[in-house]
């Protein structure tokens, strides 16, 4: 019975000593000179005393710890505000850069569209037309020229045939004219001889 009580007492002491050691380690890790603001508040809370008055529990904080904590809080806020200002400046620079990039992208897109339109179009009689329309007009003109050439060749051949026929007819007509003139000349000579013979006969008759 005594041994059991002794073991229980030793266990309670061991537990208390472990808890005290942990609290001591936690107190040593907490400080107003380093660590986040939350741990500094925890340090001030653990280093403060307390009392009750009129049934209300009050915490008594060292004035130096309170001033130190306030100074740390203000320094942290100043650092946060500085960081926020830096981030806002960076964001503003990025927005300016993005705006410039978007403007250049719009210009590039516009230039690309103009180049594509210029590439897909041709100048015809001072007018800008698409390549398809230009090809249609060009081939229409070529086809028209071929048709005119065909008509010219046809007319030329027809005229050449008519000219050859006319030359042939003229040659034949000249031959016929020469024959007619020769026969007429022969008839005239015959008539002249007959007339001369008659005149000679009349002279002899007298």
């Amino acid at each position: 019975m005594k041994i059991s009580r002794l073991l229980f007492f030793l266990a309670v002491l061991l537990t208390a000593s472990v808890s005290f050691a942990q609290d001591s380690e936690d107190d040593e890790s907490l400080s107003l000179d380093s660590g986040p603001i939350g741990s500094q508040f925890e340090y001030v809370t653990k280093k403060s005393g307390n009392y009750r008055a009129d049934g209300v529990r009050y915490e008594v904080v060292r004035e130096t710890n309170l001033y130190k904590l306030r100074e740390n809080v203000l320094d942290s806020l100043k650092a946060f505000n500085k960081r926020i200002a830096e981030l806002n400046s960076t964001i503003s620079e990025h927005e300016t850069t993005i705006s410039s990039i978007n403007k250049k992208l719009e210009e590039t897109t516009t230039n690309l569209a103009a180049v594509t339109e210029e590439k897909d179009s041709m100048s015809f009689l001072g007018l800008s037309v698409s390549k398809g329309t230009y090809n249609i007009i060009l081939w229409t003109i070529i086809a028209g020229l071929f048709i005119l050439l065909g008509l010219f060749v046809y007319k030329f051949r027809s005229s050449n045939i008519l000219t050859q026929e006319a030359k042939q007819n003229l040659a034949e007509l000249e031959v016929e004219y020469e024959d007619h003139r020769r026969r007429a000349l022969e008839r005239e000579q015959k008539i002249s001889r007959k007339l001369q013979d008659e005149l000679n006969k009349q002279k002899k008759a007298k």
Side-chain angles (χ1 to χ4, degrees), residues 122-206:
M122 302 288 290
S123 179
F124 180 75
L125 299 178
L127 299 176
S128 180
V129 295
S130 64
K131 280 189 174 181
T133 304
Y134 177 81
N135 289 332
I136 292 173
I137 294 173
L138 181 62
W139 285 109
T140 301
I141 293 174
I142 293 174
L145 291 175
F146 272 110
I147 292 172
L148 290 176
L149 179 61
L151 290 174
F152 175 77
V153 171
Y154 174 75
K155 290 289 186 181
F156 176 78
R157 287 184 176 178
S158 298
S159 299
N160 190 33
I161 292 172
L162 292 176
T163 302
Q164 295 298 328
E165 289 179 354
K167 285 181 178 181
Q168 185 177 357
N169 292 334
L170 180 61
E172 292 176 355
L173 184 62
E174 287 179 351
V175 171
E176 289 180 0
Y177 175 75
E178 286 295 327
D179 290 339
H180 177 72
R181 190 173 67 83
R182 182 177 54 78
R183 287 194 298 269
L185 183 60
E186 290 177 350
R187 283 196 302 270
E188 184 179 352
Q189 289 176 353
K190 287 180 180 180
I191 293 172
S192 295
R193 282 196 299 268
K194 286 180 179 181
L195 181 61
Q196 188 65 37
D197 291 338
E198 288 294 327
L199 289 174
N200 290 332
K201 288 177 180 182
Q202 288 179 3
K203 285 181 179 181
K204 289 178 178 181
K206 290 181 179 180

Side-chain angles (χ1 to χ4, degrees), residues 40-89:
Q40 294 181 23
F41 270 104
E42 188 177 354
Y43 174 83
V44 171
T45 301
K46 287 190 175 182
K47 292 298 183 180
S48 63
N50 59 76
Y51 71 94
R52 288 182 177 277
D54 297 329
V56 180
R57 187 170 180 270
Y58 293 93
E59 294 289 336
V60 181
V61 181
R62 288 184 183 180
E63 189 175 7
T64 55
N65 290 345
L66 185 60
Y67 288 154
K68 180 67 175 175
L69 180 61
R70 184 181 67 176
E71 182 179 351
N72 293 343
V73 170
L74 292 177
D75 289 341
S76 297
L77 289 176
K78 187 183 296 183
F80 287 146
N81 289 331
K82 182 180 179 181
R83 181 59 179 165
I84 290 172
E86 292 176 352
L87 292 175
N88 287 333
S89 177

Side-chain angles (χ1 to χ4, degrees), residues 9-27:
F9 182 71
L10 289 174
V12 171
L13 286 177
L14 182 60
T15 303
S17 63
V18 170
S19 177
F20 180 75
Q22 289 178 349
D23 291 340
S24 298
E25 289 178 359
D26 291 340
D27 291 344

